[in-house]
Amino acid sequence: MSKQQDNLDLAELKGKIAIVTGAGNNGIGWGLCKHAAGHLGMHIVAMDLHENLVDSAQERLRSAYPDVKALGIACDVTKPEELATALSTIEAYFPDSEIGAVFANAGTLFHKTILKSSIEEWATTLNVNVIGVVNTIKAFLPKMQNSEASSIFCTTASVGGLVRGDGGTASYQASKHAVVSLTESLSFEIASRSPQIRVHVLCPCIVESALPKNSKTNAQEESGEFDANDIHPSSPPTNDFAMTTESHAQQVFDLIAENKFYLLTDNIRPYVNHDYPFEALNIVKERMENILDLTLDNAGAFPTESGDVKTSTLTGAMFREARKRKPQAPE
Ligand SMILES: NC(=O)c1ccc[n+]([C@@H]2O[C@H](COP(=O)([O-])OP(=O)(O)OC[C@H]3O[C@@H](n4cnc5c(N)ncnc54)[C@H](O)[C@@H]3O)[C@@H](O)[C@H]2O)c1
C-alpha cells in the first residue's frame, strides 16, 4: 500500500510565492527560481548568504520576468532568527499572496575524508545541510499549515543521500542521508493533518554548479579571510555530462507533477543531450541489496587494474565514459 497526497496541478501554483534558499550562485536554486517564475508564473523569494548574491538574483529576476514579483533576501539558514525576519519581510512584501513552494536547498560540501576533515568542516556541513533544512521547515511550514492553499515543501538532499557512503565526501553524504530521513519523517508528520502540503526530497545527480568553490568561499568569509563585499554570483563550470540548471528544474517539476516523493533527477534524456546517465537507481538498488544481505560491498576501495578509481558509486555510464575522455571527468 502506498499513499501520498493527490497529484498537484502545477497551474495551481500561479500567483503564489516560491521561496528558494541557496539561490544566489547560479546553481540548482537559481534554476528553480527561473522555472517557477518563467514557466509557472510564481512570485519568487531568492535567498542566500550574502547581499551581493541576492541583490543580483533579485535584479535579474525582475528584469527577466516582469509579470511576477521577485525579492532577494540575505539570510543564513543556520540562524533561526534570520529566517524569522525573512518570513516577516516576505509577509510585508507579499501581503496578498500565499506560499506555494519552499525549496530548502542551501548546502555546502567539503571534498575530504573523515580523517582529513576538520571538526569545523564537519560542524559546518551538518549545520548548513541538516540544521539549515530543519530551521527552514520550522520557519515556513507553520504558515503553510495555516493556509488551505496547495503547496510544496521540498528539501534538497542528493543522490549521495540514497547510496552507500563510499569515502571522500563522508560529512556531505552523512548530512544528505540525514536530509532524506528527516524529510521522510516530515511527510509522515504532516500527511494526514496538512494534506494540502506535498513533501518531497530532491536527490540530484550531476547538475552544473560551483558548489565546492562556493563552499570554500563561504568558509573563508566566515573565518575572516574573505570580505562578503567581494563575493559575487558564481559562473558554474560546464561539463559534457551535467544537466543545466534549467533542464534540471524542468525535471524537478515534472517529478513533482507525477507525485514522486524522491525527486531523483538522473542525467537522462530529455534533460540532457547524451546517453550517459548517472544510473542512480542501480546504485541505490546495490545498497538496498547489501543491507538485506547485511554486507557492505567495498570492492571499490581496492585499486583497479588502472589503479585510479576509489569509489563504488561513481560507476554508471557517465563515469565510465568520463574516464575514457579524461581530463573532462565530472567532479
Ligand atoms: N550540483 C549538483 O550536482 C548537486 C548534486 C546533489 C545535490 N546538490 C545539492 O543541491 C543544493 C544546491 O547546490 P548547488 O550544487 O546548486 O550549488 P550552489 O553553491 O549554487 O548552491 C548552494 C548555495 O547555498 C548557499 N549557502 C551555503 N550556506 C548557506 C547558509 N548557511 N545560509 C544560506 N545559504 C547558504 C551557498 O552560498 C550557495 O549559493 C545543495 O544542497 C547541494 O548539496 C547539488
Side-chain angles (χ1 to χ4, degrees):
M1 196 174 83
S2 88
K3 189 170 192 324
Q4 242 224 315
Q5 288 91 333
D6 295 337
N7 282 10
L8 173 66
D9 178 0
L10 295 181
E12 286 181 43
L13 297 173
K14 190 175 165 87
K16 292 181 184 165
I17 308 162
I19 300 170
V20 187
T21 70
N25 268 309
N26 295 316
I28 286 173
W30 175 241
L32 293 169
C33 289
K34 285 195 291 182
H35 189 96
H39 293 262
L40 302 174
M42 299 184 79
H43 303 305
I44 307 296
V45 178
M47 291 170 47
D48 212 301
L49 268 179
H50 310 296
E51 294 285 353
N52 282 349
L53 302 182
V54 297
D55 288 353
S56 165
Q58 174 180 293
E59 196 182 306
R60 287 182 286 153
L61 287 166
R62 285 182 183 175
S63 98
Y65 310 105
D67 295 341
V68 301
K69 290 190 198 162
L71 185 61
I73 301 181
C75 174
D76 182 340
V77 296
T78 67
K79 299 188 173 144
E81 65 283 6
E82 293 194 14
L83 282 155
T85 305
L87 177 60
S88 304
T89 308
I90 292 165
E91 287 172 333
Y93 191 79
F94 299 98
D96 304 318
S97 307
E98 307 268 10
I99 297 177
V102 175
F103 289 92
N105 170 72
T108 201
L109 161 77
F110 299 103
H111 253 303
K112 291 188 184 172
T113 61
I114 295 173
L115 291 180
K116 287 187 179 153
S117 300
S118 66
I119 287 302
E120 288 73 24
E121 286 163 341
W122 270 92
T124 301
T125 304
L126 296 175
N127 235 343
V128 175
N129 294 4
V130 185
I131 304 300
V133 169
V134 175
N135 287 335
T136 308
I137 294 168
K138 284 178 173 283
F140 297 119
L141 194 79
K143 187 173 172 70
M144 295 158 78
Q145 288 185 295
N146 285 336
S147 160
E148 286 175 10
S150 305
S151 59
I152 293 163
F153 203 107
C154 181
T155 62
T156 300
S158 164
V159 63
L162 295 173
V163 302
R164 60 170 88 83
D166 72 342
T169 53
S171 59
Y172 181 76
Q173 270 199 272
S175 74
K176 295 303 188 176
H177 274 260
V179 175
V180 170
S181 170
L182 77 86
T183 312
E184 289 166 342
S185 290
L186 180 66
S187 175
F188 272 79
E189 286 178 20
I190 71 166
S192 132
R193 194 168 128 222
S194 307
Q196 76 279 21
I197 306 171
R198 275 82 174 167
V199 177
H200 307 272
V201 60
L202 172 55
C203 299
C205 289
I206 305 290
V207 185
E208 284 176 0
S209 87
L211 180 62
K213 175 179 162 284
N214 298 333
S215 303
K216 192 171 170 193
T217 303
N218 289 337
Q220 288 174 324
E221 192 272 336
E222 177 72 21
S223 68
E225 290 167 63
F226 216 100
D227 190 322
N229 292 320
D230 296 329
I231 297 178
H232 298 283
S234 297
S235 304
T238 53
N239 79 46
D240 292 349
F241 303 99
M243 277 173 275
T244 64
T245 60
E246 289 85 358
S247 61
H248 179 259
Q250 179 69 57
Q251 185 171 183
V252 170
F253 280 99
D254 286 350
L255 291 171
I256 288 174
E258 288 173 30
N259 211 10
K260 301 296 187 194
F261 173 80
Y262 303 98
L263 309 180
L264 180 53
T265 48
D266 205 323
N267 294 61
I268 50 169
R269 288 185 190 271
Y271 308 104
V272 290
N273 207 8
H274 62 70
D275 294 303
Y276 305 106
F278 191 101
E279 297 184 328
L281 281 177
N282 287 348
I283 305 158
V284 173
K285 189 161 167 265
E286 277 177 20
R287 178 167 191 261
M288 294 305 155
E289 286 169 355
N290 275 197
I291 292 172
L292 292 174
D293 196 36
L294 309 184
T295 57
L296 176 67
D297 176 358
N298 67 357
F302 298 88
T304 58
E305 260 171 40
S306 56
D308 58 354
V309 187
K310 289 210 169 181
T311 172
S312 71
T313 54
L314 307 183
T315 54
M318 178 192 298
F319 296 95
R320 295 195 299 274
E321 178 65 17
R323 276 175 212 117
K324 278 194 219 155
R325 293 190 200 176
K326 274 179 184 172
Q328 296 169 330
E331 297 247 331

